Amino acid sequence: MNSRISQAYGYAVCFITVIVMLISIKAVVDAAIDLTDPIRSESSRMGRTLTNFEVYKVEARREAGTRAQAGPTPAYVAPAKAAPDTGASDAELRRLYDAERETAIGNARFRATRSLIGNLLLIILAGALFAIHWRWLKRRDAMPSAA
């Protein structure tokens, strides 16, 4: 009975480590792709489109127009985000766009790098656990059973 329990434990650990490695490999691939194009990664979404300045400009002006139509905000409510008004120049919008874009790229790169390193370490750890338990199972199975 004790032999069966230790055998089940060994195979369960090996099975779980294989599943962990497969999931981590997918996360490593996702992080590597995010590092190649961080502005299009899902983690860089900040609300506005940052892939194209012209689209950003249209969205910023539309948002400013909507905010102007909503009327003044009460003094006790702080504005959620400082947005350019409808009269903002292209140069001002370009400066805001570049700042938001750099922030989004930096954040996406940080998250992708963190995910890449964490998942690579998880793959290494799972691989080591798998190797240790697999060798233990093989040695255990090779021993003559005491009947």
Side-chain angles (χ1 to χ4, degrees), residues 15 25 40 43 46-48 54-55 57 67 70 74 81 88 90 93 97 103 111 119-120 131 134 142 144:
F15 178 69
I25 288 170
R40 286 186 171 81
S43 64
M46 291 179 52
R48 289 192 192 146
E54 295 303 319
V55 175
K57 183 168 60 171
R67 202 173 270 152
K81 191 178 193 182
D90 281 355
L93 283 174
Y97 168 75
T103 300
R111 285 187 196 101
N119 283 299
L120 285 173
W134 192 256

Side-chain angles (χ1 to χ4, degrees), residues 5 8 13 19 24 33 35 38 46-47 49 54 59 62 67 70-71 74 85 95 102 104 107-108 111-112 124 142-143:
I5 292 174
V13 168
I19 291 173
S24 294
I33 291 171
L35 278 175
M46 291 179 52
T49 302
E54 295 303 319
E59 288 179 359
R62 184 179 305 137
R67 202 173 270 152
D85 60 359
R95 188 183 64 73
E102 288 305 312
N107 289 341
R111 285 187 196 101
I124 291 168
M143 284 197 252

Side-chain angles (χ1 to χ4, degrees), residues 34-91:
D34 285 351
L35 278 175
T36 62
D37 194 7
I39 198 67
R40 286 186 171 81
S41 74
E42 291 192 23
S43 64
S44 71
R45 299 283 179 233
M46 291 179 52
R48 289 192 192 146
T49 302
L50 298 174
T51 55
N52 184 325
F53 174 67
E54 295 303 319
V55 175
Y56 175 86
K57 183 168 60 171
V58 169
E59 288 179 359
R61 290 195 171 146
R62 184 179 305 137
E63 181 182 305
T66 305
R67 202 173 270 152
Q69 290 175 354
T73 55
Y76 59 86
V77 176
K81 191 178 193 182
D85 60 359
T86 29
S89 68
D90 281 355

